[in-house]
Amino acid sequence: MKPTKILLVCLLLFEPWGSPARGQEQQLPTQIGQTEEQHTPVTALLTVVNIPARGLLCGASSLLAS
């Protein structure tokens, strides 16, 4: 029974057949003149605040778990 579980986990992790959504993404035509995302000061500020906040949350949750 254990080899069956290992096989199922490996199939779910590696997806040798690929997912349908991934196949559809590859078939989309690329647009000429496609602009990049606009980075505003708000997005930069949110990123600067988000990364340390995640670190604090991770640290706090590990303290609570122990």
Side-chain angles (χ1 to χ4, degrees), residues 17-28:
W17 55 85
S19 66
R22 193 177 306 148
Q24 289 175 355
E25 285 178 11
Q26 293 173 353
Q27 293 175 358
L28 291 175

Side-chain angles (χ1 to χ4, degrees), residues 10-12 15 18-20 22-23 26 28-36 40 43 45-46 48 51 55 57 62 66:
C10 288
L11 286 175
L12 289 174
E15 290 186 87
S19 66
R22 193 177 306 148
Q26 293 173 353
L28 291 175
T30 58
Q31 295 179 357
I32 298 174
Q34 196 174 24
T35 60
E36 291 185 12
T40 62
T43 58
L45 177 68
L46 289 176
V48 168
I51 292 172
L57 183 63
S62 64
S66 64

Side-chain angles (χ1 to χ4, degrees), residues 57-66:
L57 183 63
C58 181
S61 64
S62 64
L63 284 175
L64 288 173
S66 64

